[in-house]
Amino acid sequence: MARATNKTKKPAHSNRKYIIGFWTLFGIGILAGILIFLLAGWGAFGKMPTFEELENPETNLATEIFSSDGKTLGKYYSENRTPIKYEDLPDHLVHALVATEDERFYQHAGIDAKGTVRAAVFLGTRGGASTITQQLAKQLFTEDVAQNNVERVFQKVKEWVISTRLERQYTKEEIITMYFNKYDFVYQAVGIRSASKIYFDKEPNELKIEESAVLVGMLKNSALYNPMRRPELVLSRRNQVFEQMNRNGFISESEMDSLQKLPMNIEFTPEGHDEGMATYFRAYLQGFMKDWIAKNPKPDGSEYSLYRDGLKIYTSIDSKMQEYAEKAVTRHISKLQKEFDRQNENNPTAPFRDIDKDQIETSIQNAMRVSARWKKMKAQGKSEAEIKKSFKEQAEMRVFSWNGTIDTVMTPRDSILYYKSFLQAGMMSMVPQTGEVKAWVGGINFKHFKYEHVRQARRQVGSTFKPFVYATAIDQLKFSPCDTLPKSQFTIEAGKHGNMNDWSPRNSDGSYDGMYTLKKALASSVNTITARLIDKTGPKPVIDLIGKLGIDTENIPAVPSIALGTADISLFEMVSAYSTFANQGVYIKPVMVNRIEDKNGTVLYQNVPETRDVLSKEAAYVTVNLLEGVTQGGSGTRLRGTWAKGRTDYERAVTGYPYDFKNPIAGKTGTTQNQSDGWFMGMVPDLVTGVWVGAEDRAVHFPTITYGQGATMALPIWGMYMKDVYANPELKVSKEEFERPENLSIAVDCATYSARKAADDSIPDELDF
């Protein structure tokens, strides 16, 4: 037995070569690993980021637009990314991230050795090995994903090297912040701030724990775990995040059970350029910024990028007032459109009126030539005949309606007619003392109607021009609102004031009897009295005045007929001009941008107000007093709640009546020829708001004055807007009297003036001209 045992026993030195072989291979492996890491660090497997790139990794940062009350109005971006700081991240969001994506985040230096070994042994079936830092490295510096396993190994090594460098360069908090700021949550939600706004309509620090869990759950694969497409899958993933948070001690088991029972409430708020608040204003602002960028290079001489440099634009717009303005336009125009469509049911040339077939065809052809379809096909080298033929071929398209977007089939030509039938609106609200524009609505729907009706469009202003004539007469001739003139017919003969022919304006009511005070004449919009005034002042001083009030006068002829509002003027110009009356005769250039900062908070632009004296305080106040008469006994009386008699319930619903304002309001309605344009300019001491309503084509209009006047088309929007403004005490919009100058020499109290006139024979009964 002993000999047999000795025979089978091997000498000790026989295992030596295996031991040496193992350690040799192990050493070679270690050396190879070190060499691979060194080669990766030297860039042998592809370009590695430099120290400067690690210090300042390239990111495309969205330019953010802020309202005056600190809300985000929108962004300009190639990637919708707006960075935030670590302190703005709620604790439960950070805890959810660490528990789900990298349990040992605070223990490792960029590479999780335990996780790596586990992933290698179990081939990833029990979890991956990528740390948060490695995922950040991949997001920051990996442009092209590896196409095969060999490339993926080398790519992984690069990520490991970059991760260790990032860990040396940044704190753990900075790495978490960079990771959240970089991740793409789809739907143009790049970074946690954009994702919070788009999926929950709130800032990250306002997120609830169940909302944070949804966003962290998306980090595994945002395209797969998409709450808009796969809500059940995302809900399951959210609940897994709660399990991980419980496992890592961030929440208790009872908290986990309660949270998992909660529904997933997504408040999807996309932030595309065509969506959100103040879309027309943002389109205008885009042009403003491009001009500013062209004139203001960076210190190194290069241009700022509106879409990548993370600029911050602080505007004058108030988010609540903008909301009220957009709501008022939507409420009124959607109802007015129903009546407009009803009145077009038996119109053989609908939506046009008062033009023949040739003129209609010309209008359609003009619309075709400026359409995106025409421009695109022209760029493709298509002939005019081919392009015109395409407009008669049916195609699938999505079109606007007040009940939501409609999927339909129609020819592009028919879509032009369809869109021409819609009434449009423009609205602008401005603080006259500072020039700050608080609300800007350029149309009814920016996605479908790009033409803008605040600054871009120029339309006939009708009777809203008359206060400029009255203001000129007051300023030059010291006329009083209590002075009287005959309503009788009046002619300015050919050759006078640039007239080519005799000009004899008619009054809209067909009446020419009696004497009117100037206050009553403006309130009743008597054309013959306005003609008498411009005959006395001459058209040139009126044009000089409106030029000083900020209106472009280049295309306004110096003829008497301008007194009735034949000139095309933008709503933007009209609001700034009227603001001068409310600002005691001082014109202030409208302000849309208060300040521009770079991504680090350095101020690049600070608005400096531009002002000039135009009218005396006395002339401005007397003009305002005249305009107050419009809302006390003229076409603006509807604002006072005294108009409803004799009107049907349906008409009142369309116009939004009653409003029942008791405070001082100065204003003027305006209606143009054939009811193509309806205007209302309304003022209180610290807010001037203008509204225009009409169709883009002037041949599209109401058939009669019942609905086709400014008091019906435009005034209701002002009324609804101001009711909301006054209902919000935080806005502090005045209900007080307009400030009266000291030592006012022009009579504005007509009762007192009449008594004085009766007692003093030297005061004439009427103006002598």
Side-chain angles (χ1 to χ4, degrees):
M1 285 290 294
R3 281 198 296 269
T5 301
N6 289 337
K7 252 185 177 181
T8 59
K9 188 177 180 180
K10 293 183 180 179
H13 67 272
S14 65
N15 292 326
R16 183 179 180 85
K17 62 181 181 180
Y18 295 110
I19 295 171
I20 292 172
F22 169 78
W23 285 109
T24 300
L25 289 174
F26 182 78
I28 291 172
I30 293 294
L31 291 172
I34 293 171
L35 180 61
I36 288 173
F37 272 86
L38 288 172
L39 289 171
W42 294 333
F45 306 137
K47 184 178 180 295
M48 294 290 285
T50 64
F51 174 82
E52 289 75 17
E53 288 172 326
L54 286 172
E55 184 72 23
N56 299 289
E58 285 190 18
T59 54
N60 293 325
L61 301 180
T63 289
E64 191 164 10
I65 308 160
F66 293 97
S67 66
S68 60
D69 53 331
K71 304 296 183 182
T72 298
L73 293 177
K75 301 175 185 178
Y76 304 121
Y77 54 82
S78 54
E79 285 184 351
N80 184 13
R81 183 201 320 281
T82 306
I84 62 170
K85 299 177 181 178
Y86 182 81
E87 50 264 33
D88 295 322
L89 300 173
D91 289 341
H92 51 70
L93 179 66
V94 175
H95 294 163
L97 171 67
V98 173
T100 307
E101 294 295 318
D102 192 352
E103 293 176 318
R104 287 172 290 278
F105 175 69
Y106 293 105
Q107 285 76 53
H108 62 66
I111 301 174
D112 182 5
K114 183 178 178 180
T116 302
V117 172
R118 182 192 64 215
V121 171
F122 296 100
L123 301 177
T125 59
R126 296 192 181 180
S130 286
T131 64
I132 292 172
T133 316
Q134 285 174 249
Q135 293 178 50
L136 176 62
K138 182 178 180 180
Q139 290 179 23
L140 290 175
F141 301 109
T142 301
E143 296 179 357
D144 300 313
V145 178
Q147 299 300 312
N148 56 61
N149 291 335
V150 175
E151 287 183 3
R152 181 62 191 136
V153 169
F154 288 129
Q155 192 176 80
K156 199 71 176 176
V157 171
K158 285 175 61 179
E159 290 171 9
W160 285 345
V161 173
I162 295 171
S163 297
T164 58
R165 292 182 178 181
L166 287 172
E167 289 275 353
R168 290 198 300 268
Q169 194 73 33
Y170 297 100
T171 65
K172 292 289 187 179
E173 290 75 17
E174 288 171 330
I175 288 171
I176 284 177
T177 306
M178 291 170 67
Y179 179 70
F180 271 129
N181 282 332
K182 183 68 178 174
Y183 192 82
D184 188 343
F185 290 86
V186 302
Y187 293 113
Q188 299 174 329
V190 183
I192 193 68
R193 183 153 184 248
S194 295
S196 299
K197 291 289 289 182
I198 286 175
Y199 292 109
F200 299 106
D201 195 24
K202 57 179 64 175
E203 294 293 330
N205 59 9
E206 299 170 332
L207 290 171
K208 298 177 181 178
I209 186 171
E210 62 269 26
E211 295 165 340
S212 291
V214 170
L215 296 178
V216 168
M218 292 177 68
L219 296 172
K220 186 174 184 179
N221 182 337
S222 57
L224 176 63
Y225 295 97
N226 181 333
M228 304 311 298
R229 291 189 174 185
R230 302 178 184 87
E232 296 84 3
L233 184 63
V234 176
L235 180 63
S236 175
R237 177 64 180 162
R238 183 203 71 174
N239 291 341
Q240 288 178 359
V241 172
F242 290 142
E243 290 177 9
Q244 286 297 111
M245 293 180 75
N246 169 246
R247 173 183 166 182
N248 286 274
F250 292 120
I251 58 175
S252 67
E253 190 160 342
S254 62
E255 288 175 319
M256 178 188 72
D257 291 339
S258 298
L259 289 168
Q260 288 181 333
K261 293 176 183 176
L262 292 174
M264 185 176 67
N265 296 318
I266 301 295
E267 190 167 342
F268 190 57
T269 313
E271 291 188 343
H273 297 300
D274 289 351
E275 296 155 323
M277 182 179 288
T279 46
Y280 287 95
F281 173 75
R282 282 153 42 199
Y284 157 76
L285 187 60
Q286 193 171 25
F288 173 93
M289 287 301 300
K290 287 180 178 179
D291 289 343
W292 181 85
I293 286 169
K295 298 172 184 176
N296 296 272
K298 293 180 181 179
D300 63 4
S302 62
E303 277 196 351
Y304 287 101
S305 171
L306 184 61
Y307 307 100
R308 296 190 301 274
D309 281 345
L311 300 175
K312 298 180 179 68
I313 309 171
Y314 295 89
T315 73
S316 61
I317 298 293
D318 182 281
S319 68
K320 296 307 294 182
M321 296 173 79
Q322 181 69 27
E323 177 189 337
Y324 300 152
E326 292 181 5
K327 184 175 76 170
V329 167
T330 297
R331 284 177 62 193
H332 182 56
I333 301 301
S334 62
K335 292 180 180 179
L336 194 64
Q337 186 70 46
K338 291 179 182 178
E339 178 61 21
F340 186 72
D341 292 343
R342 188 187 70 81
Q343 295 188 23
N344 264 324
E345 287 175 359
N346 297 317
N347 175 15
T349 58
F352 305 97
R353 292 184 184 274
D354 307 322
I355 59 175
D356 58 33
K357 290 183 178 180
D358 289 340
Q359 291 171 311
I360 291 173
E361 185 59 32
T362 299
S363 178
I364 295 172
Q365 291 293 326
N366 289 339
M368 287 166 53
R369 291 178 183 278
V370 298
S371 68
R373 171 184 287 270
W374 187 287
K375 292 174 183 177
K376 182 178 179 180
M377 294 184 73
K378 194 74 173 176
Q380 293 171 345
K382 303 290 184 182
S383 68
E384 187 167 312
E386 289 176 305
I387 297 173
K388 287 184 176 181
K389 181 182 177 183
S390 76
F391 275 85
K392 297 180 181 179
E393 297 171 351
Q394 289 201 336
E396 293 182 357
M397 58 182 70
R398 307 191 78 195
V399 297
F400 170 81
S401 85
W402 280 112
N403 295 319
T405 303
I406 299 173
D407 291 308
T408 187
V409 175
M410 65 171 68
T411 68
R413 178 189 172 88
D414 286 341
S415 74
I416 289 173
L417 286 169
Y418 175 76
Y419 276 118
K420 279 185 176 293
S421 70
F422 281 95
L423 295 173
Q424 296 292 329
M427 179 177 179
M428 176 174 148
S429 196
M430 172 177 157
V431 178
Q433 290 78 20
T434 65
E436 290 184 298
V437 175
K438 292 299 178 183
W440 177 309
V441 184
I444 60 173
N445 185 288
F446 183 73
K447 186 172 184 177
H448 294 277
F449 302 94
K450 292 293 192 285
Y451 193 67
E452 195 267 333
H453 295 280
V454 171
R455 191 159 189 172
Q456 184 180 6
R458 305 183 71 83
R459 300 290 291 243
Q460 283 192 343
V461 294
S463 293
T464 56
F465 191 91
K466 290 176 181 176
F468 303 135
V469 179
Y470 280 70
T472 304
I474 293 165
D475 193 46
Q476 285 188 353
L477 307 173
K478 305 300 180 185
F479 287 168
S480 162
C482 308
D483 288 328
T484 58
L485 283 171
K487 193 183 178 186
S488 59
Q489 290 182 325
F490 182 77
T491 299
I492 300 178
E493 62 271 18
K496 188 177 183 182
H497 300 315
N499 260 356
M500 297 295 292
N501 303 296
D502 288 352
W503 181 58
S504 304
R506 294 178 296 174
N507 291 330
S508 60
D509 63 358
S511 170
Y512 300 92
D513 299 327
M515 301 293 296
Y516 274 44
T517 64
L518 294 189
K519 194 166 190 175
K520 184 179 180 182
L522 184 61
S524 303
S525 212
V526 179
N527 290 338
T528 54
I529 291 180
T530 307
R532 291 177 186 275
L533 290 176
I534 201 167
D535 181 50
K536 191 68 174 177
T537 65
K540 182 65 167 60
V542 175
I543 290 177
D544 290 342
L545 173 65
I546 65 173
K548 293 174 184 176
L549 294 176
I551 294 173
D552 182 358
T553 61
E554 183 178 355
N555 296 315
I556 300 179
V559 294
S561 60
I562 63 169
L564 305 187
T566 56
D568 287 349
I569 301 174
S570 72
L571 177 63
F572 180 87
E573 292 170 323
M574 290 296 287
V575 173
S576 62
Y578 269 66
S579 292
T580 305
F581 300 141
N583 194 33
Q584 299 184 315
V586 178
Y587 170 82
I588 183 164
K589 187 177 179 180
V591 175
M592 282 72 73
V593 178
N594 287 322
R595 187 172 78 257
I596 301 170
E597 295 179 358
D598 68 11
K599 63 182 179 182
N600 299 314
T602 303
V603 176
L604 305 176
Y605 167 84
Q606 183 74 51
N607 176 68
V608 177
E610 296 181 35
T611 66
R612 57 176 172 264
D613 292 338
V614 177
L615 292 168
S616 67
K617 287 184 179 182
E618 184 173 61
Y621 177 77
V622 172
T623 304
V624 169
N625 183 268
L626 280 167
L627 290 166
E628 285 187 89
V630 175
T631 68
Q632 293 165 349
S635 56
T637 309
R638 300 180 184 190
L639 294 171
R640 303 297 181 187
T642 56
W643 170 71
K645 293 180 181 179
R647 297 289 180 173
T648 66
D649 290 339
Y650 182 64
E651 285 175 317
R652 289 200 297 273
V654 168
T655 58
Y657 182 87
Y659 311 104
D660 203 27
F661 292 110
K662 307 299 183 186
N663 57 293
I665 299 170
K668 187 71 189 79
T669 57
T671 307
T672 61
Q673 189 174 12
N674 295 330
Q675 301 82 237
S676 294
D677 306 272
W679 291 80
F680 183 71
M681 306 297 300
M683 301 188 292
V684 295
D686 56 357
L687 194 65
V688 177
T689 304
V691 182
W692 167 87
V693 174
E696 288 190 2
D697 195 306
R698 299 184 198 216
V700 178
H701 55 78
F702 277 105
T704 67
I705 201 73
T706 303
Y707 285 92
Q709 60 178 299
T712 306
M713 294 170 71
L715 178 145
I717 293 174
W718 192 94
M720 288 185 284
Y721 167 70
M722 289 302 295
K723 284 188 77 171
D724 283 342
V725 167
Y726 280 135
N728 187 341
E730 294 180 2
L731 297 176
K732 299 178 181 178
V733 174
S734 174
K735 289 186 177 181
E736 303 301 316
E737 299 280 348
F738 288 89
E739 185 176 350
R740 181 183 179 121
E742 295 180 2
N743 304 316
L744 185 65
S745 65
I746 299 176
V748 293
D749 184 343
C750 294
T752 303
Y753 182 74
S754 297
R756 279 178 51 211
K757 189 166 61 174
D760 187 349
D761 292 338
S762 66
I763 300 175
D765 289 333
E766 62 181 87
L767 295 173
D768 182 21
F769 58 88

